[in-house]
Amino acid sequence: MPLDFNEIRQLLTTIAQTDITEVTLKSDDFEITVRKATIATTGAGVSTGLSSVSPIAPPVAPPPTAEVSRTYEAPTSVSTAPAPSPIEQKKYVEVTSPMVGTFYRASAPGEAPFVEVGDRIRSGQTVCIIEAMKLMNEIEAEVSGQIIEILVQNGEPVEYGQPLMRINPD
């Protein structure tokens, strides 16, 4: 049963969100071992990160060889809308992060953000990017409506399931 690149990426993202320290997958074509490294931080405890992915034979879909490195400027403001009341919040649809990574509002430094507060969007429209393990993942809106609030600053790390923005659906 060959794994494609997206399945491997999804596996790595899932493992990064758990307490699992090592996983080995073997097939006739390849073997992948993933280990988390422990990195000491000053005063804040310990954090973990993925340290190695070492295939024995080439995977079915090898990852791209070029690395993407981007620097983004911080936005001047994130949300100009007043905080919604609990009753109003229930009607809003939250766009949540599907993975651990870094939140970006635009496709490249100096480019216009995908969306601003007050913009009308349609279902399937790209609203932001989450960078995870040097891969840029476009996040699309699941509903049409109006952007009410952007909850994360450009370049901030985000967690799995963290709300990124709120949409008032049509």
Side-chain angles (χ1 to χ4, degrees):
M1 176 178 99
L3 288 175
D4 69 14
F5 181 69
N6 287 330
E7 290 173 323
I8 293 170
R9 182 177 61 155
Q10 184 178 14
L11 173 67
L12 293 173
T13 302
T14 303
I15 291 169
Q17 298 168 8
T18 68
D19 292 334
I20 297 171
T21 57
E22 184 173 335
V23 171
T24 301
L25 291 175
K26 294 180 183 180
S27 77
D28 294 337
D29 300 329
F30 67 92
E31 178 179 325
I32 294 178
T33 299
V34 179
R35 290 182 196 95
K36 283 188 184 178
T38 303
I39 304 166
T41 59
T42 56
V46 175
S47 64
T48 61
L50 293 178
S51 66
S52 69
V53 176
S54 51
I56 289 180
V60 174
T65 56
E67 285 192 18
V68 177
S69 176
R70 297 184 181 192
T71 306
Y72 291 88
E73 297 174 17
T76 54
S77 68
V78 170
S79 175
T80 57
S85 70
I87 294 171
E88 289 175 331
Q89 275 186 344
K90 289 183 182 186
K91 71 177 183 176
Y92 297 150
V93 175
E94 287 186 336
V95 176
T96 59
S97 179
M99 64 194 72
V100 173
T102 304
F103 173 84
Y104 294 113
R105 294 187 60 199
S107 60
E111 300 249 341
F114 290 108
V115 295
E116 296 282 359
V117 172
D119 286 356
R120 299 212 58 78
I121 60 165
R122 65 189 182 289
S123 180
Q125 180 178 338
T126 300
V127 294
C128 65
I129 290 177
I130 303 294
E131 177 187 10
M133 298 183 298
K134 303 220 184 251
L135 295 173
M136 300 298 177
N137 301 281
E138 292 184 350
I139 308 304
E140 298 177 350
E142 294 182 9
V143 298
S144 297
Q146 183 177 21
I147 301 291
I148 298 301
E149 191 173 12
I150 299 174
L151 305 167
V152 182
Q153 292 283 341
N154 194 48
E156 278 188 1
V158 293
E159 298 292 327
Y160 171 79
Q162 178 178 346
L164 305 173
M165 53 188 72
R166 290 192 179 101
I167 300 170
N168 186 7
D170 288 339

